[in-house]
Amino acid sequence: MDFLQQDIIIATSAGKEKQQVSAAVRDNGQTPADFSCIYSKGGEEMTRGFLQELVHILLTYISKSSQRSSKVLDFHHPHQLREGLDGFSLELPDQPENLEQILVDCRDTLKYGVRHPRFFNQLSSGLDVIGVAGEWLTSAANTNMFTFEVSPVFILMEEFLLKKMQSIVGWSADVGDGIFCPGGTISNLYSILVARYHFYPEVKTRGMGALPRLALFTSEHSHYSVKKSAAVLGMGSENVFVVKCDERGKMIPADLESSIVAAKEKGLVPFYVNATAGTTVYGAFDPLNAIADICHRHTLWMHVDAAWGGGLLMSDRHRMKLQGIERAWSVTWNPHKMMGVPLQCSAILIKKRGLLQGCNEIGATYLFQTDKHYDVNYDTGDKSIQCGRHQDVFKLWLMWKAKGSQGFGSQVNKCLENAEYLYDHLQRRTDFELVFKHKPEHSNVCFWYLPPSLRGLQPGSDRDTRLHQVAPRIKGRMMEKGSLLIGYQPLGAKVNFFRCVFSNPATQQEDIDFLLEEIAQLGEDL
């Protein structure tokens, strides 16, 4: 099913005349002592009425989220939401409230959320109808991903998805391993955890005191999760060596080499290098083959954080930007970013089978009995740090069935075409300035807006000080107005600039035109 067909389904469903809440749900305001009757045989009518009204709320929200006439967000400050708005209260009651109020709370929760084709603020955006269906079914199933006996179909789906993703990376399907994780940060943490165990398996029982002082390496444009993981795992954020990048945001291999030498001279033992395929701000791709050569020379674990850039592997047009990823020992890939899967959906792929199990296995006998009557290799829970693990695979599996690999590739292509369209327009305008002149590699486009008061100023500290204030003030105005949402940040010596990212295939060129005109209008008097 393509996006046009999905839009038709949404419009048709949401366009139907609103039905009244079932009399059983309304129950004249009389609230039962508890809601157990909803699930019992006698509560079927109430259950059906409640869920039908809830579906109506969701369809209305989905329909509005794709309408340009609706706000991107209905912004209120934290204290306003805390104090309550229009009957919406965050306070938790001692006595149960009736189902009508529960439905009002559902509607209001969505009202103050954010979802729109003009949302350019984060790497995850958009709303895929098939993915939503997968998430609904997942919640209805409400099962745990630790043993085959309680989650048989989902366990097998995870296996099939991981093998498919490993083959796309370029690994042999019969050697790899992996697991779905709660986000890219945890996936990156797994890569460091497993790498350390690979070189020093004694750490599992004896701890860091039995190991030398270890050194990790990552670029200055990489995700903060590498330093955070080093801190969490007891290696210390100070032992993460930050490697310099070129002006485009790519790791400089020569600086990686010199950083490894410097670490050894300080008495540290290098063991892990994180390369990034699609940096968070610039969308840059590190030179993976050159980094792999260095890792091979020094016998270091090479991880590729492709949380943001992994989706480009689905595109025949853009997958060459990740050349060399097949040489990595582990890969992070977040389908909830460029592939548009509803949050959350992240995978850690490990090239060598058995490391995840060996690193994390404890063998709790109340869960992982070895004498079960089925193949206990499908009890995957001991590969995970977690015991309880949310089922994140079905929505991705269902979307893959609905789109096929080619559909995901077309989706990625469209997002990058939008980035090129914005880049081309920024080049031609005098009221905007690109942060770097290169054509975008990913869907990130970084730029400054120059209000009339700054256009005649020469580059220097005075201009930078004033320019630094422009993006935050425009962002505040657009949030209050609710017209669009885009992120900004400083980076190194560069003052605050806008970062526009495209991951929502519903975004059209008209939305990009609106983005530029709206920023110019909001900032003209600054």
Side-chain angles (χ1 to χ4, degrees):
M1 180 181 297
D2 61 25
F3 287 94
L4 177 59
Q5 289 174 305
Q6 291 183 11
D7 289 342
I8 291 172
I9 290 174
I10 293 170
T12 303
S13 302
K16 292 179 180 178
E17 191 172 322
K18 183 180 185 299
Q19 298 185 1
Q20 297 298 315
V21 182
S22 163
V25 175
R26 186 182 292 106
D27 74 16
N28 295 318
Q30 298 300 311
T31 305
D34 60 54
F35 287 95
S36 60
C37 62
I38 295 179
Y39 314 108
S40 66
K41 185 175 181 180
E44 288 180 2
E45 184 181 355
M46 182 181 292
T47 301
R48 185 179 298 277
F50 175 74
L51 291 177
Q52 284 177 339
E53 183 61 19
L54 181 63
V55 168
H56 171 77
I57 291 171
L58 293 170
L59 288 173
T60 301
Y61 171 73
I62 291 171
S63 178
K64 285 185 176 180
S65 71
S66 62
Q67 294 173 2
R68 271 72 179 174
S69 58
S70 64
K71 285 187 173 184
V72 176
L73 76 162
D74 184 4
F75 178 76
H76 292 81
H77 289 279
H79 73 273
Q80 294 173 310
L81 289 174
R82 285 176 61 88
E83 293 164 4
L85 291 168
D86 302 325
F88 179 61
S89 173
L90 295 171
E91 294 295 332
L92 299 173
D94 292 327
Q95 299 299 319
E97 294 181 341
N98 61 53
L99 291 183
E100 284 228 18
Q101 182 59 49
I102 299 302
L103 290 169
V104 169
D105 290 341
C106 291
R107 190 179 292 110
D108 286 344
T109 298
L110 293 175
K111 176 183 177 182
Y112 299 116
V114 180
R115 190 65 58 186
H116 200 277
R118 292 174 179 168
F119 175 86
F120 309 106
N121 207 73
Q122 254 71 50
L123 307 184
S124 303
S125 65
L127 192 64
D128 187 277
V129 174
I130 302 298
V132 170
E135 191 67 76
W136 289 354
L137 187 144
T138 296
S139 295
N142 192 32
T143 190
N144 203 322
M145 287 286 287
F146 46 35
T147 61
F148 179 81
E149 62 194 271
V150 301
S151 193
V153 180
F154 296 141
I155 291 283
L156 292 176
M157 282 180 177
E158 182 173 53
E159 178 190 37
F160 273 73
L161 281 168
L162 290 169
K163 285 185 176 180
K164 183 71 171 180
M165 295 169 78
Q166 289 159 10
S167 69
I168 291 171
V169 166
W171 297 346
S172 172
D174 60 349
V175 297
D177 201 355
I179 200 166
F180 278 78
C181 309
T185 291
I186 302 300
S187 293
N188 285 343
L189 184 146
Y190 268 108
S191 74
I192 299 174
L193 180 70
V194 171
R196 183 179 64 179
Y197 175 81
H198 170 71
F199 290 112
Y200 302 98
E202 65 270 24
V203 70
K204 181 177 179 179
T205 52
R206 297 174 60 196
M208 283 297 295
L211 273 58
R213 189 178 166 198
L214 301 177
L216 306 81
F217 304 85
T218 193
S219 86
E220 59 185 337
H221 283 221
S222 67
H223 195 261
Y224 66 84
S225 57
V226 177
K227 280 192 173 183
K228 179 172 283 192
S229 297
V232 169
L233 295 174
M235 289 178 277
S237 59
E238 289 185 356
N239 293 325
V240 177
F241 286 70
V242 177
V243 182
K244 293 178 182 177
C245 293
D246 61 21
E247 62 177 8
R248 184 59 188 83
K250 298 171 179 287
M251 181 190 286
I252 301 172
D255 196 70
L256 172 61
E257 186 90 56
S258 61
S259 296
I260 293 169
V261 172
K264 290 179 177 179
E265 290 175 349
K266 292 179 179 179
L268 280 75
V269 178
F271 82 106
Y272 173 98
V273 174
N274 173 66
T276 307
T279 58
T280 305
V281 179
Y282 279 6
F285 291 80
D286 286 343
L288 301 183
N289 272 316
I291 293 170
D293 290 341
I294 294 171
C295 289
H296 177 75
R297 200 156 49 243
H298 293 273
T299 316
L300 306 180
W301 183 286
M302 177 183 171
H303 174 68
V304 175
D305 178 3
W308 177 223
L312 272 66
L313 290 168
M314 305 302 295
S315 166
D316 291 338
R317 191 184 305 171
H318 297 287
R319 64 171 291 117
M320 74 285 192
K321 295 172 182 177
L322 293 91
Q323 278 186 334
I325 193 171
E326 71 281 356
R327 300 176 65 186
W329 293 15
S330 57
V331 172
T332 290
W333 183 349
N334 285 11
H336 69 229
K337 290 188 167 74
M338 278 305 290
M339 294 171 71
V341 179
L343 285 158
Q344 59 195 8
C345 188
S346 175
I348 176 66
L349 309 177
I350 307 292
K351 198 169 193 176
K352 184 178 179 181
R353 184 170 295 175
L355 284 177
L356 268 174
Q357 187 81 19
C359 180
N360 297 310
E361 182 179 31
I362 296 297
T365 54
Y366 72 93
L367 272 179
F368 306 115
Q369 302 92 352
T370 59
D371 54 358
K372 293 179 180 180
H373 75 289
Y374 61 82
D375 184 353
V376 294
N377 287 315
Y378 287 98
D379 286 354
T380 58
D382 232 6
K383 294 197 296 185
S384 169
I385 300 171
Q386 304 162 257
C387 178
R389 186 161 65 97
H390 186 259
Q391 191 280 101
D392 293 325
V393 298
F394 180 68
K395 54 196 171 186
L396 172 57
W397 180 88
L398 199 65
M399 286 176 64
W400 214 312
K401 296 279 280 190
K403 298 174 188 289
S405 300
Q406 291 183 354
F408 277 125
S410 298
Q411 184 172 312
V412 168
N413 291 342
K414 181 178 180 183
C415 290
L416 270 71
E417 286 166 6
N418 280 338
E420 290 185 22
Y421 179 85
L422 174 57
Y423 169 79
D424 291 340
H425 277 255
L426 288 169
Q427 279 192 310
R428 295 196 293 266
R429 295 187 61 144
T430 59
D431 51 347
F432 289 88
E433 181 181 329
L434 287 159
V435 172
F436 49 85
K437 305 303 180 185
H438 307 278
K439 181 179 176 181
E441 282 191 296
H442 205 323
S443 72
N444 310 48
V445 184
C446 301
F447 59 91
W448 290 283
Y449 169 69
L450 304 176
S453 63
L454 296 184
R455 289 173 203 165
L457 291 182
Q458 295 297 316
S461 59
D462 178 53
R463 181 181 184 271
D464 284 349
T465 299
R466 295 168 65 179
L467 183 59
H468 189 64
Q469 302 172 34
V470 171
R473 294 183 65 184
I474 292 176
K475 175 71 176 282
R477 290 178 178 183
M478 72 172 60
M479 290 182 69
E480 294 287 349
K481 186 177 178 181
S483 55
L484 59 90
L485 209 59
I486 182 174
Y488 73 86
Q489 66 283 300
L491 187 64
K494 292 180 171 62
V495 299
N496 281 325
F497 57 86
F498 289 112
R499 179 203 63 166
C500 185
V501 287
F502 298 95
S503 60
N504 184 355
T507 299
Q508 305 295 331
Q509 292 183 356
E510 65 184 79
D511 300 310
I512 301 169
D513 296 336
F514 177 85
L515 164 73
L516 295 178
E517 295 307 320
E518 184 72 359
I519 289 176
Q521 181 182 354
L522 292 171
E524 187 176 15
D525 63 338
L526 296 178

